[in-house]
Amino acid sequence: MKETIDIILNECLTELDNNPTQDEIQSVKVKFLGKNGRLTALLKGLKDLSPQEKPLVGQLVNLARERIEAKIAAVEEAVKQQKLKEKIESEYIDITADFTHGKRGALHPLSMVNKQLMEIFSDMGFVVKEGPEVETDYYNFQALNTPLDHPARDMQDTFYITESILLRTHTSPNQVRVMEQSRPPIKMICPGKCYRVDDDATHSPIFNQIEGLVVDKNVTLCDLKGTIEAFSKKFFSDSTKVRLRPSFFPFTEPSVEVDLTCSNCGGKGCRLCKGTGWLEVLGAGMVNPFVLDNCGIDSQIYSGFAFGFGIDRMTMIKYGISDIRLMYQNDIRFLQQIVG
Ligand code: PHE
């Protein structure tokens, strides 16, 4: 009997020796220890043995069972460890990889300049606001003293979505939106995309503007000039001078066109300023009393100035870019040349 037990035991241990899979281990369990397993069969046969043999054989069978169970536990643990090892290997991330030769991204020139502009104006006490790009005719024109039949509408070639909804042609609607929502003193700046039916080297159908608005008691044209001058000195150079020329916008009175001394030649005259020494950079003026009153701000008590300029134009001047369309083509060879 002892021999039979040893044979079964050895057979079982051999089957467990060859790196069995979990399934193979399971079938070994069934084959030897299961209800109809070979070792179990021996136990069932105990009843036919003599009273002397019974305990002896019983003990041997139990010993064999313990050894098999210990072996199974060991191989199961080995399978588990192997699986864990494979998982760790498959999920391994080489954190030592050398990325120092990779290419670094950078901000788009327009984002870079926009950031600089926001910083300068924030330092000067302006609050940054935003408004919708899809606007109503009311905010884009009518509230800005430009009624439906006003000839000044011709200056702004508009993309209409419906008769009364359009893509904003400038950031000026935000003057109205801000004045409707807040009371003076107001000192805000509003950057954003604008759209016009226009496409050449200096005009893009999509472009970026910044609107500035200051409303308080006793605000004058001198404050406008001083503000633009302080800003220009910070953005271009300390020697930048400002010149105002009369102009017309329905929503400002008086209206001015603001020129800065050419940042390229310092005012001597060059190709960038077409020999004049001056660069035309923004439209501005004193907020028309009609617009103030229309927004519920008493024009007898308050006055204000507003200005609007192209971020694209500022970027082109600052970095000597001759074609605005380069800024919207995302050609990496162009973008790479402009770093902050
Ligand atoms: N919105 C005007 C334009 O786009 C510029 C402007 C802004 C003029 C604010 C006056 C005051 O041409």
Side-chain angles (χ1 to χ4, degrees):
M1 189 51 118
K2 183 173 183 318
E3 271 158 34
T4 319
I5 296 172
D6 280 344
I7 290 169
I8 294 175
L9 179 62
N10 281 333
E11 213 179 293
C12 178
L13 293 181
T14 320
E15 282 193 32
L16 288 170
D17 259 345
N18 267 337
N19 290 332
T21 62
Q22 191 58 49
D23 285 348
E24 284 164 347
I25 296 172
Q26 190 53 34
S27 55
V28 168
K29 278 188 195 169
V30 174
K31 186 167 161 192
F32 293 92
L33 308 177
K35 247 204 295 184
N36 301 312
R38 294 176 56 189
L39 219 52
T40 323
L42 289 182
L43 283 176
K44 282 183 192 161
L46 280 182
K47 61 179 184 334
D48 304 326
L49 297 179
S50 67
Q52 292 95 323
E53 274 179 319
K54 250 190 215 171
L56 256 150
V57 174
Q59 204 182 10
L60 286 174
V61 173
N62 278 334
L63 268 173
R65 188 185 178 91
E66 273 166 29
R67 283 191 61 188
I68 292 173
E69 277 171 353
K71 177 80 177 178
I72 285 176
V75 282
E76 275 181 336
E77 180 61 23
V79 168
K80 214 169 106 189
Q81 288 302 329
Q82 179 61 25
K83 274 201 182 137
L84 186 65
K85 200 172 147 219
E86 280 165 16
K87 187 166 167 2
I88 290 171
E89 271 166 16
S90 74
E91 290 174 1
Y92 174 71
I93 296 168
D94 184 1
I95 54 163
T96 65
D98 177 9
F99 286 117
T100 50
H101 304 302
K103 289 194 173 152
R104 272 184 76 183
L107 286 181
H108 188 282
L110 287 174
S111 306
M112 215 159 63
V113 169
N114 190 33
K115 199 164 156 257
Q116 286 171 19
L117 295 170
M118 291 303 110
E119 274 166 17
I120 295 175
F121 280 110
S122 300
D123 285 350
M124 290 167 73
F126 284 79
V127 174
V128 180
K129 298 274 184 185
E130 277 189 332
E133 287 170 37
V134 177
E135 255 304 357
T136 60
D137 187 280
Y138 176 76
Y139 283 109
N140 198 79
F141 290 125
Q142 293 171 48
L144 289 166
N145 198 30
T146 316
L148 282 168
D149 56 355
H150 199 293
R153 286 198 177 211
D154 285 351
M155 296 197 307
Q156 309 208 349
D157 308 294
T158 312
F159 285 110
Y160 282 94
I161 292 170
T162 67
E163 235 173 65
S164 56
I165 298 173
L166 44 80
L167 296 182
R168 68 178 175 201
T169 58
H170 50 176
T171 41
S172 299
N174 298 301
Q175 289 184 31
V176 181
R177 288 186 176 278
V178 169
M179 282 193 280
E180 277 179 352
Q181 281 159 19
S182 37
R183 297 293 92 185
I186 293 170
K187 201 170 175 189
M188 76 92 182
I189 197 94
C190 171
K193 293 192 192 76
C194 303
Y195 304 84
R196 287 189 202 180
V197 187
D198 227 345
D199 197 5
D200 60 39
T202 51
H203 299 90
S204 158
I206 172 172
F207 58 101
N208 289 270
Q209 274 197 347
I210 286 188
E211 194 76 12
L213 175 71
V214 174
V215 183
D216 203 349
K217 287 177 182 152
N218 305 318
V219 176
T220 70
L221 199 64
C222 288
D223 296 315
L224 167 64
K225 191 175 182 201
T227 302
I228 302 293
E229 200 167 284
F231 149 72
S232 307
K233 283 182 190 300
K234 279 195 190 162
F235 185 69
F236 290 112
S237 77
D238 239 0
S239 56
T240 311
K241 292 198 186 65
V242 174
R243 176 174 90 172
L244 305 186
R245 281 180 295 113
S247 185
F248 175 79
F249 298 101
F251 39 94
T252 46
E253 185 57 40
S255 300
V256 291
E257 210 73 57
V258 183
D259 297 342
L260 304 181
T261 39
C262 177
S263 60
N264 189 42
C265 62
K268 288 190 209 74
C270 68
R271 224 163 51 99
L272 184 65
C273 58
K274 300 192 184 91
T276 63
W278 294 96
L279 293 170
E280 184 186 320
V281 288
L282 57 121
M286 299 306 292
V287 180
N288 193 316
F290 284 130
V291 178
L292 289 174
D293 290 330
N294 200 23
C295 297
I297 294 175
D298 189 344
S299 61
Q300 297 296 320
I301 304 173
Y302 294 103
S303 57
F305 67 77
F307 58 87
F309 61 87
I311 305 178
D312 311 71
R313 177 133 169 87
M314 287 292 178
T315 310
M316 289 166 80
I317 294 171
K318 186 146 186 173
Y319 295 102
I321 302 162
S322 55
D323 194 325
I324 191 173
R325 291 168 293 199
L326 283 167
M327 243 124 35
Y328 296 95
Q329 286 162 348
N330 277 340
D331 185 331
I332 200 90
R333 290 165 303 178
F334 160 73
L335 297 174
Q336 267 170 349
Q337 294 175 43
I338 298 167
V339 280

